[in-house]
Structure formats: C-alpha cells, structure tokens
Amino acid sequence: MEKQIASLHLVSAFLAMEPTDCVMSHARSLGGGSVTVDVQRFIWDHCISKAIGKCHAPYLKIFLKKLILEIESNRDDVLDELYELYSEFMISLKVGSGVGLVGICLSHVKASKVILSDGGLSTLSNMKLNLKMNQISTEDDEPVTSECLDSFDHAQIGGMRTEIDIISLPHVKCLHLPWECASESVLQKLKPDIILGADVIYDPLCLPHLVRVLSILLDKTKSSSQLPRVGFDGAIGCSHDCSNGCGARDVAAACDSAGSASPAEHPTAYISSVIRNANTFDRFLALVDEANLAITDLTGTLPPASLLPYMQSYDRSSIRLFKLSSK
C-alpha cells in the first residue's frame, strides 16, 4: 500500500510540474531512499514516455538533468533511455571539429542541435563531405545571423516538442568560426549546453583565442571587460582567414536578438587532449585561471572507452579529459 501511494504521489507531482526537487523527493521515497533502477523504469514508463510531445519541453529537460545527476551522484547506473532522451534536448558545440567524427557520433545519438565549428575553410569543406558520406544532412555554412540561428531552434507546436519534430529537424550545422575573430555577441547567440573539444591544446599562439572563446561560451553573463583581452592582429595567434567568418553584419544581427534571450544554466566544456608539451599545457592552465574558469581533470574517474579495440597502435594511456566551467 505504501508503494502504491508513493507511486501515485510521484506521477501526480510530475504531471502537475511540481519543482523538480519535490518530484525527486517522491522518487526517493518510492525507492526507499534512492532512485533505484526499478524507480527509474517506473519514471520512464509512467511519467516520461507518456509526457513526450505533451509535457512542456523545458520542464522535461530540467527534470531529466536533475534525475540523471541524482543517480550519478550516488554512483548508480542510469537507464540508457534517460541519457538518450536528454541528449535530444542538448545544444552541442564542437570547437575545432576537424573531420567531424564527434558530430557524426552526436548525430547518431539524436542530439537535438549539433554545431560543428572550425576556423579552416578547407577543413570545413572536408567535414561536410564526411557528414554527407555518413548520410547526415547539414545546413549550409551561412553567416551567423539571428535568423539562421532562430531557424535552427527546437521545432515546437504550442510549446510542446514531438518525436516527429526531432526526426525532421536538420540538426547539424557546420560553422566557420575562427577563434581569433569570433565576436562575443555572436558566440553568446550560439547558446550551447555543452562545448566539446578534442586535441585543441597544442599551439601556444592559439591558446589565448581558445580560452577567450571558451570563457564567453561558458558564462553568458560576463561582459567583454571581464574577459581576457587578446589582440586580433593577423600576425598574432592562429592564422585563419577571418574574411568569411564572423563579420560586423553577423555581430549586428546577433545583437538585435541577444537582449531577448532568456537566461540559461551555465554550460559545461569537456576538452580531451594529449599533453605533448608541458610548457604549452601550463600556459593553457594559466590562461584558464586568468579567465576565472574552473578546470577539473576527469581522467581518473572517466577513462577513455575501449573504442576500436583492434587498433593496438593507438595509445589511449596518454589521453586526458578535462571539464571546464565558470567559477
């Protein structure tokens, strides 16, 4: 009888869109103090799966995040369905996308928005070709304007998001984004939930530009006066051509709509890298500290997965994973 009452209270609180802390309290009561796998399955079957397309999308996203964090903090297993659905609500921005492999993986797990950026036009062209070869549709690499980014937003019907909307959305965009000339207003318009970077800490000349970009993306509330200043002289930093990147017209268009953007939770960046030069890495750490960013080494708790196990020549032991966030 107690479990039946706890189950009823949990479902009722979720349908009433009670604060997520209250819903999680009912979930813990049902699980005898923790959100067990059985409780997760109950939540999926009786709450979440029935809410898709009917529940207010922002509330469902917040609840999923709260639920996953609660389970992970207790070092319990999370249902794959919860991870998969949460990924469909996330805006993922990849800096230095290279051949586009991360974007291909994100697309296959149905991330709702994937923005693949790179400062090299030839790299961008090759990336698009790789995506096409993997049957992934992309938007054209248009200038970053408020109109093109708004059209890239979630498909919604009366504030409700349906499975059809997710499937039909062209959710991968390739973006020419040279770090050294990407404006603050344009970067803020991207509004990512998660920023990813792989092997981007190797050129000391590019590091100030990279950290500047990350600091803007990780804290939308910072003014330009609080960010580390980097000269944009063509002789300094990365030598990408900025002429087709984020120009003045893009900045103006982005600023027109920036004032109406609703506040969001601070995003998080995950950077994986091989430390080839200790001095270069120390320089990166110093710049991160100057930008008032927090950095955590996750290598010990989240070791690289054994992907492509047949590639014995690939040394995974030297890979490090770092988490960056605003302080």
Side-chain angles (χ1 to χ4, degrees), residues 162-294:
T162 67
E163 288 297 309
I164 295 176
D165 297 329
I166 297 169
I167 295 170
S168 64
L169 189 67
H171 59 271
V172 177
K173 179 172 181 62
C174 299
L175 179 66
H176 182 222
L177 190 70
W179 299 338
E180 64 272 25
C181 59
S183 71
E184 180 178 348
S185 55
V186 167
L187 290 169
Q188 288 177 334
K189 183 61 182 174
L190 296 174
K191 296 181 285 189
D193 294 300
I194 184 169
I195 301 108
L196 302 173
D199 209 17
V200 291
I201 311 173
Y202 63 90
D203 188 343
L205 294 179
C206 290
L207 292 182
H209 305 299
L210 171 61
V211 173
R212 174 184 166 274
V213 167
L214 290 174
S215 63
I216 295 171
L217 292 170
L218 289 171
D219 192 342
K220 301 181 180 69
T221 65
K222 280 186 178 179
S223 65
S224 58
S225 62
Q226 294 172 288
L227 297 172
R229 288 298 181 182
V230 179
F232 291 157
D233 191 313
I236 300 176
C238 308
S239 57
H240 293 312
D241 177 16
C242 298
S243 59
N244 294 321
C246 304
R249 183 181 61 170
D250 306 328
V251 174
C255 286
D256 287 341
S257 60
S260 61
S262 58
E265 294 184 42
H266 294 316
T268 303
Y270 293 93
I271 306 293
S272 66
S273 184
V274 174
I275 301 177
R276 298 179 177 85
N277 185 297
N279 291 332
T280 300
F281 184 68
D282 288 342
R283 172 63 174 155
F284 173 73
L285 293 179
L287 290 167
V288 165
D289 185 61
E290 290 174 16
N292 201 33
L293 298 178

Side-chain angles (χ1 to χ4, degrees), residues 116 127-128 131-132 136-140 170 172-174:
L116 303 179
M127 182 200 311
K128 290 180 178 180
L131 293 169
K132 184 177 180 180
I136 297 174
S137 60
T138 63
E139 292 186 357
D140 292 335
V172 177
K173 179 172 181 62
C174 299

Side-chain angles (χ1 to χ4, degrees), residues 88-210:
E88 295 179 7
F89 286 93
M90 297 187 72
I91 306 171
S92 303
L93 171 64
K94 176 69 165 63
V95 293
S97 297
V99 298
L101 177 59
V102 172
I104 293 170
C105 294
L106 289 171
S107 178
H108 281 293
V109 298
K110 299 180 181 178
S112 64
K113 294 184 185 180
V114 179
I115 305 173
L116 303 179
S117 68
D118 204 279
L121 290 173
S122 59
T123 302
L124 205 66
S125 298
N126 183 57
M127 182 200 311
K128 290 180 178 180
L129 179 61
N130 289 334
L131 293 169
K132 184 177 180 180
M133 291 175 65
N134 284 272
Q135 292 80 48
I136 297 174
S137 60
T138 63
E139 292 186 357
D140 292 335
D141 185 26
E142 300 170 350
V144 185
T145 65
S146 58
E147 289 80 7
C148 81
L149 286 171
D150 288 342
S151 68
F152 197 57
D153 206 349
H154 290 310
Q156 294 186 349
I157 301 175
M160 299 178 184
R161 187 165 173 273
T162 67
E163 288 297 309
I164 295 176
D165 297 329
I166 297 169
I167 295 170
S168 64
L169 189 67
H171 59 271
V172 177
K173 179 172 181 62
C174 299
L175 179 66
H176 182 222
L177 190 70
W179 299 338
E180 64 272 25
C181 59
S183 71
E184 180 178 348
S185 55
V186 167
L187 290 169
Q188 288 177 334
K189 183 61 182 174
L190 296 174
K191 296 181 285 189
D193 294 300
I194 184 169
I195 301 108
L196 302 173
D199 209 17
V200 291
I201 311 173
Y202 63 90
D203 188 343
L205 294 179
C206 290
L207 292 182
H209 305 299
L210 171 61

